[in-house]
Amino acid sequence: MGSMGPPHPSLLLVFARASCLFLLFCLCLGDSCPQPCQCPDHVGSVAVDCSFRGLQEVPQDIPTDTVLLKLHANQISHLPDGAFQHLHRLRELDLSRNAIEAIGPSTFTGLAGGLRLLDLSFNRIQRIPKDALGKLGAKIRLSHNPLHCECALQEALWELKLDPDSVDEITCHTSVQEKFVGKPLVQALDAGASLCSVPHRTTDVAMLVTMFGWFTMVITYVVYYVRHNQEDARRHLEYLKSLPSAPASKDPLGLGP
């Protein structure tokens, strides 16, 4: 039986073309546009538009070279830790008009270097952890959120680069100080007010009640102690009075007959 000769050059060419097509398909598949989204050209950069898609979570197959990501007007309520950490080239992230309720310290991990704009307006955010957004150098929009104005929020805002076009629309839905409710937070803080100097009335009342309780206990003990000692002294005096007195001696000088 004769040995097989080298493969025909045409077969090698077909194999090489098939390999290239398969590799190209894999590369395109890896950076393809997410199924419910659109990826129009945006000044030569990769833009991913997932707006008005009824999404309840952030898509996991967003291309790694995305520069602009629009996720506004969806139903996203939760942002997992590191949801955008693979998007190292991301410059603008629009999460406005969703149902986001909370932001974790690691939600935007990986975006500190290049992000320029983060839109979180028109959501349901009540509190912002101090370290959740402080490391971002981007302009941040927080207007139209039911924020709870407290000292932690004030400290967090001090470290943020708020968007000047929407900063006056950041209002207090609730507050540790009633005078802030319904008012623009930034204007109140610019006027010299502070959320970190609230008198702790509850603590003061509790301390006053505790001190009054201790004082009452001390007075009660003192009164009991005095009355108890008076009673003992009275009984001792009555006991002494009840003792028979010694008969008087008829010979006080002790001289007998």
Side-chain angles (χ1 to χ4, degrees):
M1 186 174 180
S3 60
M4 296 181 61
H8 194 275
S10 60
L11 294 177
L12 293 176
L13 181 60
V14 171
F15 180 78
R17 289 180 178 177
S19 299
C20 291
L21 289 174
F22 179 77
L23 180 60
L24 181 61
F25 174 78
C26 292
L27 292 176
C28 292
L29 184 62
D31 287 335
S32 62
C33 191
Q35 184 63 34
C37 308
Q38 295 180 351
C39 300
D41 293 334
H42 182 71
V43 196
S45 300
V46 178
V48 179
D49 188 355
C50 302
S51 305
F52 298 98
R53 295 296 188 273
L55 300 176
Q56 296 183 356
E57 59 183 14
V58 178
Q60 299 182 357
D61 52 350
I62 299 173
T64 58
D65 55 350
T66 299
V67 175
L68 170 63
L69 177 57
K70 302 184 70 174
L71 288 163
H72 79 279
N74 283 290
Q75 301 174 11
I76 300 173
S77 61
H78 174 66
L79 297 175
D81 292 341
F84 311 98
Q85 62 183 356
H86 64 292
L87 305 178
H88 302 294
R89 297 182 59 188
L90 194 62
R91 296 295 180 268
E92 296 185 19
L93 176 57
D94 188 352
L95 288 163
S96 63
R97 299 185 182 276
N98 276 280
I100 300 170
E101 299 179 352
I103 299 175
S106 303
T107 298
F108 299 104
T109 298
L111 300 181
L115 195 65
R116 295 293 176 264
L117 176 62
L118 173 60
D119 194 343
L120 291 167
S121 59
F122 292 94
N123 276 282
R124 301 176 183 175
I125 301 171
Q126 297 182 4
R127 288 178 169 83
I128 300 177
K130 184 177 181 180
D131 299 330
L133 303 174
K135 297 180 181 179
L136 298 177
K139 289 192 300 183
I140 299 176
R141 296 173 182 169
L142 289 171
S143 60
H144 301 284
N145 278 284
L147 293 172
H148 176 66
C149 294
E150 56 184 349
C151 184
L153 177 63
Q154 178 178 330
E155 293 178 346
L157 293 182
W158 278 341
E159 300 182 3
L160 302 185
K161 183 180 179 182
L162 297 174
D163 179 28
D165 295 333
S166 62
V167 68
D168 291 335
E169 298 176 353
I170 301 176
T171 58
C172 298
H173 184 71
T174 57
S175 176
V176 292
Q177 296 189 43
E178 187 176 353
K179 64 181 180 180
F180 285 96
V181 176
K183 296 182 179 180
L185 175 60
V186 177
Q187 291 182 5
L189 296 181
D190 288 342
S194 175
L195 292 166
C196 298
S197 59
V198 181
H200 301 285
R201 297 179 180 177
T202 303
T203 304
D204 294 342
V205 171
M207 183 177 296
L208 182 61
V209 172
T210 302
M211 293 178 62
F212 180 77
W214 279 105
F215 181 76
T216 303
M217 290 177 60
V218 171
I219 295 299
T220 302
Y221 176 77
V222 171
V223 171
Y224 170 78
Y225 180 78
V226 171
R227 289 183 176 179
H228 182 73
N229 286 346
Q230 288 179 346
E231 184 69 19
D232 288 345
R234 185 181 63 81
R235 291 178 180 177
H236 184 67
L237 182 60
E238 291 180 352
Y239 172 75
L240 293 178
K241 290 180 178 181
S242 64
L243 293 177
S245 58
S249 175
K250 297 181 180 180
D251 189 3
L253 298 178
L255 300 175

